Amino acid sequence: MDGQHKKEKNKYSIIVPTYNERLNIGLIVYLIFKHLQDVDFEIIVVDDGSPDGTQDIVKQLQQVYGEDRILLRPRPRKLGLGTAYIHGMKHATGNFVVIMDADLSHHPKYLPSFIRKQLETGADIVTGTRYVKGGGVHGWNLMRKLTSRGANVLAQTLLWPGVSDLTGSFRLYRKPVLEDIISCCVSKGYVFQMEMIVRASRKGYHIEEVPITFVDRVFGSSKLGGSEIVEYLKGLAYLLVTT
Amino acid sequence: MKHIVKILTLVVAITALWIGLLQTSIIPRSHTWLLPIYFVVSLGCYGLLMVGVGLMNFPTCPQEALLLQKDIIEAKEYLNQKGVDVSSS
């Protein structure tokens, strides 16, 4: 295949939803530019009205890197993750969309492997997985690991999704594919990520995986309480009867 | 086909097989009656085993946390030079 030739034309829109990430947004932008040097890309920051001045930092970053490379597309207040992606996508000019968290639990150094995997396989979606060789998690206690494994085994047994990491949110999509699946997803939080990948799998889209590592810096921030577990089980039941 | 239908079809097929075994008495009835219990127990064991194996082989990456700290220091230096405010407050 003419992989090299194709690479010229591809453009990647990296959508980063933020809320109170004034420090991390600068760090992640620096790391994205460091690791994606010969790739055409733009970063779309969807900020949900952070009171800590995240948007001021983004404007400073625009001065450094250029307003055509970093797009600030704020919203007035917290309006949810799914709509943040839709909002960001409206302003995306690339033919591929990358979604990642702003808190540095997703490291931009993996972006080249997402792009390479897509070029090699022609996949519609490349999803980062923590649960294969080369991947991993740092900063989780035993309880967090236990719930994560339990949730994963339950979902694998009941849903047969064909993907090893359902709740990860570091993914690369063909833009039309993301537009197609996001319009029929209604869940929130962890379940939203799971619904996206399960619906994509059911629709027969070609999904590939690459290993990523996940560093939880704010220890205990992703602690799963009882209400999250109930939400997860509800989400699982919802996906069982609707997909 | 909704996924729940697939699973229910599987359950119905297994139940039909079981009833068939009860009717034909290929194996003693007392054994056949216990089969569903064995089935549920083995399903539970499978789940526990998978969680246990997953937990034992849970991939961790402490070195990544250190590398990230280095990257953060490097990024802060660069951004400071460029006049971007990277103070943590």
Side-chain angles (χ1 to χ4, degrees):
Chain A
M1 283 286 282
D2 49 348
Q4 275 312 104
H5 183 69
K6 269 186 168 172
K7 202 173 172 180
E8 308 288 320
K9 288 185 296 181
N10 288 336
K11 182 170 180 182
Y12 300 86
S13 300
I14 303 168
I15 299 178
V16 186
T18 57
Y19 185 76
N20 284 351
E21 300 283 2
R22 63 173 279 139
L23 178 59
N24 289 332
I25 192 65
L27 303 176
I28 202 163
V29 164
Y30 169 82
L31 290 170
I32 291 173
F33 274 89
K34 181 183 169 189
H35 290 282
L36 285 184
Q37 286 184 344
D38 46 353
V39 177
D40 187 14
F41 71 93
E42 64 188 358
I43 302 171
I44 302 172
V45 181
V46 180
D47 184 68
D48 278 5
S50 304
D52 75 338
T54 302
Q55 293 179 25
D56 299 332
I57 303 293
V58 176
K59 283 169 193 155
Q60 291 176 14
L61 289 164
Q62 284 178 324
Q63 298 304 312
V64 177
Y65 292 103
E67 284 183 27
D68 55 328
R69 307 301 299 279
I70 303 174
L71 285 65
L72 176 60
R73 297 291 180 266
R75 301 191 295 172
R77 63 200 150 82
K78 274 197 128 171
L79 291 165
L81 207 53
T83 55
Y85 297 148
I86 294 171
H87 182 82
M89 231 181 344
K90 269 188 239 155
H91 304 281
T93 59
N95 53 338
F96 285 95
V97 175
V98 175
I99 284 173
M100 63 191 296
D101 291 351
D103 63 0
L104 288 179
S105 55
H106 296 151
H107 198 297
K109 70 182 167 190
Y110 295 105
L111 286 168
S113 66
F114 279 80
I115 292 170
R116 209 178 315 120
K117 189 72 165 185
Q118 197 286 322
L119 288 172
E120 278 168 9
T121 61
D124 299 309
I125 301 172
V126 181
T127 176
T129 174
R130 297 162 286 189
Y131 304 133
V132 295
K133 200 172 178 298
V137 178
H138 177 74
W140 281 4
N141 60 14
L142 186 64
M143 201 55 210
R144 184 71 185 79
K145 286 178 184 172
L146 184 69
T147 35
S148 167
R149 290 318 305 172
N152 205 279
V153 168
L154 206 58
Q156 294 291 343
T157 312
L158 291 176
L159 293 172
W160 319 341
V163 184
S164 64
D165 189 350
L166 290 166
T167 50
S169 54
F170 194 177
R171 292 175 186 155
L172 179 147
Y173 299 84
R174 277 183 202 279
K175 195 180 171 202
V177 172
L178 181 56
E179 282 167 339
D180 179 29
I181 53 175
I182 210 165
S183 56
C184 43
C185 289
V186 296
S187 310
K188 290 184 168 55
Y190 289 103
V191 181
F192 176 73
Q193 307 297 351
M194 181 161 76
E195 181 175 9
M196 295 251 282
I197 206 76
V198 171
R199 286 199 188 280
S201 166
R202 300 280 190 261
K203 280 175 180 253
Y205 286 123
H206 179 181
I207 305 172
E208 290 285 338
E209 296 186 303
V210 291
I212 57 162
T213 56
F214 184 94
V215 178
D216 211 340
R217 289 161 70 224
V218 191
F219 192 75
S221 66
S222 55
K223 199 166 60 182
L224 281 180
S227 61
E228 274 95 345
I229 293 173
V230 171
E231 282 306 308
Y232 180 82
L233 294 177
K234 274 195 217 160
L236 214 55
Y238 168 74
L239 287 178
L240 264 179
V241 295
T242 58
T243 68
Chain B
M1 186 159 63
K2 300 290 183 213
H3 197 71
I4 190 79
V5 182
K6 277 189 216 165
I7 290 180
L8 287 178
T9 313
L10 204 64
V11 171
V12 169
I14 292 171
T15 315
L17 199 71
W18 179 62
I19 292 171
L21 280 177
L22 270 182
Q23 295 292 330
T24 52
S25 313
I26 301 169
I27 44 174
R29 277 203 166 197
S30 53
H31 285 110
T32 318
W33 275 115
L34 288 173
L35 277 178
I37 299 168
Y38 291 151
F39 181 72
V40 170
V41 168
S42 52
L43 208 62
C45 285
Y46 163 80
L48 284 178
L49 192 76
M50 291 304 285
V51 172
V53 168
L55 210 54
M56 276 199 307
N57 299 329
F58 202 97
T60 54
C61 48
Q63 74 287 356
E64 288 296 325
L66 299 173
L67 291 174
L68 183 60
Q69 285 312 315
K70 278 189 203 156
D71 284 338
I72 288 172
I73 291 164
E74 181 189 315
K76 274 187 177 172
E77 269 174 22
Y78 177 84
L79 293 172
N80 246 329
Q81 275 176 17
K82 294 284 174 182
V84 178
D85 179 14
V86 281
S87 56
S88 37
S89 60

